[in-house]
């Protein structure tokens, strides 16, 4: 039973939380109600069994626990009155528990609540940097440290952004709703950015014992499908295609011990062909519109990798060209680093080294472990062993993911051992 409840918390807690925010109108109160609901489940379910719709049960119990809490504190009387006006029978309030016969929540409503919360956190009244940080924290449950790593900034800076975002929603009375079709195009950029960052954290975890976090990649893909059902334009399709194509490689990205397998060493027969086919079809339709951008171009790069039988027969010239186009659309030192790798694969390690050494002058990449991991790899392939060891050691000092640390130690051991 404990394991089942743990699995439910890991997979559904943020959905329940989103519904509680809509019902209670307060982030902190909803967070407390979420934990109260799961505590109640730990007590009741071993005796009574798991409800048919556990997420709805948790939403209902959490809501009533929050109301009881407000009553006990004898405060916010108006909020309590408003909550009690909902159609769910008031008799459940005094019991502090939900009845499946009277629940008005279902999986579709709960999923819509999560989408509503995304758009609330990405409201134009909130600063763009705050939007993404707030949504990653509140919708997806990433820690402040994980979000800071994704943005290459400090946890304290991220914490301040999240606090500012919550205050803005409260003070500006930002509505908890999905925007109208006329408003949707202006609101979509931040939402896609959030979904993409959630996927990236799942695709390559910033810290911990695992390379990937499948619950995050699955959640990001689910959210992208939800958004695409509202706005099926090229960039939404491009983002979904990008995530599907990258997710297709997940079974081959680690070995049985959980260690990283680099792209050139992956067994491509393990790649998920159904995801590749779906992603390829999406990218073709997005490119056909001639109205695409950042995500669609990245998806096109992923599609080139998906088509290649191996690393050596990959069309690196096309990938370099696509990165050039991507840099025109969205200049970024990380994209330049990726292009440098493609150049090295096409023209040799020395060509890539020249680009990476220039990038190392940029402060933002000096704290990015992949910069030094890439630098070490290219130095090693160029025969500059001492410099490669130094670069790998620096990369090791920057990464907090255990499999990446093991991979870097293996590389250091191989370079340090006598021939």
């Amino acid at each position: 039973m404990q394991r089942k409840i743990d699995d439910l918390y890991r997979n559904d807690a943020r959905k329940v939380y989103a519904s509680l925010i809509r019902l209670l109108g307060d982030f902190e109160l909803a967070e407390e109600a979420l934990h109260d609901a799961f505590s109640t489940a730990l007590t009741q379910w071993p005796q009574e069994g798991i409800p048919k719709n556990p997420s709805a049960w948790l939403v209902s119990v959490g809501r009533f626990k929050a109301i009881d809490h407000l009553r006990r504190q004898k405060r916010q009387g108006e909020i309590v009155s408003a909550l009690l006006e909902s159609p769910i029978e008031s008799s459940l309030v005094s019991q502090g528990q939900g009845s499946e016969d009277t629940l008005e929540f279902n999986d579709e409503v709960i999923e819509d609540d999560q989408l509503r919360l995304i758009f609330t956190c990405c409201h134009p009244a909130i600063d763009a940097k705050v939007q993404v940080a707030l949504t990653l924290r509140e919708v997806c449950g990433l820690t402040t440290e994980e979000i800071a790593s994704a943005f290459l900034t400090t946890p304290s800076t991220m914490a301040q952004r999240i606090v500012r975002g919550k205050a803005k929603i409260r003070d500006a009375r930002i509505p908890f709703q999905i925007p109208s079709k006329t408003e949707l195009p202006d609101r979509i950029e931040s939402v896609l950015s959030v979904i993409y960052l959630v996927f990236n954290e799942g695709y390559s975890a910033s810290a911990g014992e695992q390379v990937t976090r499948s619950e995050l990649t699955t959640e990001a893909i689910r959210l992208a499908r939800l958004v695409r059902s509202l706005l099926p334009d090229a960039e939404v399709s491009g983002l979904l295609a990008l995530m599907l194509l990258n997710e297709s490689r997940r079974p081959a990205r680690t070995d049985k011990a959980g260690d990283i397998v680099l792209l050139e060493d992956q067994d491509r027969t393990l790649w998920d062909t159904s995801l590749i086919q779906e992603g390829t079809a999406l990218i073709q339709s997005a490119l056909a519109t001639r109205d695409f951008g950042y995500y669609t171009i990245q998806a096109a790069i992923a599609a080139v990798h998906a088509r290649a039988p191996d690393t050596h027969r990959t069309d690196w010239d096309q990938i370099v060209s696509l990165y050039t186009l991507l840099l025109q659309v969205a200049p970024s030192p990380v994209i330049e680093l990726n292009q440098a790798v493609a150049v090295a694969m096409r023209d040799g390690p020395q060509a890539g080294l020249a680009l990476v050494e220039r990038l190392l002058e940029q402060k933002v990449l000096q704290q990015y472990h992949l910069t030094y991991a890439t630098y070490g790899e290219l130095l090693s392939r160029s025969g500059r062993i001492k410099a490669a060891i130094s670069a790998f050691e620096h990369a090791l000092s920057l990464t907090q993911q255990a499999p990446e640390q093991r991979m870097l130690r293996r590389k250091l051991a191989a370079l340090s051992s006598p021939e």
Side-chain angles (χ1 to χ4, degrees), residues 228-249:
R228 189 169 179 268
S229 70
L230 290 172
L231 186 69
D233 75 358
E235 271 298 85
V236 179
S237 297
L239 175 58
L240 180 56
L242 172 61
M243 294 190 297
L244 291 171
L245 290 165
N246 284 337
E247 180 73 355
S248 72
R249 301 200 294 267

Side-chain angles (χ1 to χ4, degrees), residues 197-395:
L197 286 168
V198 173
F199 181 85
N200 280 345
E201 180 60 32
Y203 184 74
S204 182
S206 58
E209 294 298 322
Q210 296 181 326
V211 175
T212 62
R213 296 175 61 182
S214 60
E215 74 276 13
L216 291 181
T217 56
T218 300
E219 179 65 10
I221 290 170
R222 185 187 70 82
L223 292 175
R225 293 190 192 280
L226 277 175
V227 174
R228 189 169 179 268
S229 70
L230 290 172
L231 186 69
D233 75 358
E235 271 298 85
V236 179
S237 297
L239 175 58
L240 180 56
L242 172 61
M243 294 190 297
L244 291 171
L245 290 165
N246 284 337
E247 180 73 355
S248 72
R249 301 200 294 267
R250 183 163 59 86
R253 292 182 61 233
T254 55
D255 60 19
K256 292 181 180 179
D259 287 330
I260 294 171
V261 179
L262 297 175
L263 178 63
E264 60 190 83
D265 300 320
Q266 288 176 15
D267 179 357
R268 299 189 179 209
T269 63
L270 297 177
W271 290 4
D272 190 324
T273 55
S274 64
L275 293 181
I276 291 173
Q277 289 170 358
E278 183 182 0
T280 300
L282 283 168
I283 192 59
Q284 288 174 346
S285 66
L287 290 171
T289 67
R290 304 276 181 187
D291 182 23
F292 53 82
Y294 179 70
Y295 301 112
T296 303
I297 298 169
Q298 285 197 86
I301 294 170
V304 175
H305 285 296
R307 289 196 302 267
D310 53 51
T311 303
H312 299 295
R313 286 178 283 179
T314 299
D315 190 344
W316 292 107
D317 190 55
Q318 185 179 5
I319 290 178
V320 171
S321 298
L322 286 168
Y323 272 123
T324 300
L325 179 60
L326 186 60
L327 284 167
Q328 294 173 5
V329 172
S332 160
V334 174
I335 294 173
E336 288 186 74
L337 180 64
N338 291 334
Q339 185 184 46
V341 173
V343 169
M345 295 301 295
R346 184 188 67 180
D347 302 331
Q350 290 291 349
L353 272 174
L355 297 174
V356 174
E357 286 172 345
R358 190 180 75 244
L359 289 172
L360 282 170
E361 298 173 2
Q362 299 189 37
K363 187 176 180 180
V364 67
L365 288 184
Q366 292 173 5
Q367 298 301 314
Y368 187 42
H369 71 279
L370 290 179
T371 309
Y372 290 93
T374 301
Y375 190 39
E377 186 65 31
L378 295 179
L379 287 167
S380 175
R381 295 185 183 194
S382 299
R384 296 167 58 182
I385 304 304
K386 287 185 178 181
I389 290 173
S390 177
F392 282 136
E393 287 176 341
H394 195 61

Side-chain angles (χ1 to χ4, degrees), residues 60-213:
S60 184
V61 168
R63 172 180 178 272
F64 293 125
K65 289 288 185 181
I67 293 172
D68 285 343
H69 172 76
L70 293 177
R71 279 179 162 175
R72 288 193 303 271
Q73 295 297 320
K74 295 182 179 180
R75 62 184 176 86
Q76 299 190 28
E78 292 182 1
I79 294 178
V80 174
S81 298
L83 290 170
L84 291 175
E85 290 174 0
S86 74
I88 300 178
E89 294 185 20
S90 60
S91 62
L92 294 177
V93 177
S94 59
Q95 298 171 12
Q97 61 186 20
S99 165
E100 289 187 67
D101 294 335
T102 59
L103 286 175
E104 296 195 357
F105 311 112
N106 55 43
D107 291 337
E108 184 178 351
V109 169
I110 291 173
E111 286 191 352
D112 285 347
D113 279 340
Q114 202 167 25
L115 197 55
R116 288 185 187 98
L117 181 56
I118 291 177
F119 279 104
T120 299
C121 293
C122 295
H123 193 276
I126 303 173
D127 179 80
K129 291 182 179 179
V130 176
Q131 289 176 9
V132 179
L134 181 64
T135 311
L136 288 171
R137 179 70 188 92
E138 301 305 324
V139 178
C140 306
L142 271 68
T143 66
T144 304
E145 289 75 17
E146 288 169 340
I147 303 168
S149 175
F151 278 91
L152 305 180
T153 189
T154 64
S156 61
T157 298
M158 275 298 126
Q160 291 171 4
R161 291 179 187 175
I162 292 166
V163 169
R164 289 204 308 272
K166 289 181 180 179
K168 185 66 177 181
I169 290 172
R170 181 189 66 244
D171 298 342
R173 298 178 181 271
I174 292 174
F176 189 88
Q177 63 187 27
I178 296 172
S180 66
K181 289 186 178 180
T182 56
E183 297 173 318
L184 203 53
D186 294 332
R187 300 275 298 277
I188 202 68
E189 183 175 348
S190 293
V191 172
L192 295 185
S193 178
V194 167
I195 293 172
Y196 183 49
L197 286 168
V198 173
F199 181 85
N200 280 345
E201 180 60 32
Y203 184 74
S204 182
S206 58
E209 294 298 322
Q210 296 181 326
V211 175
T212 62
R213 296 175 61 182

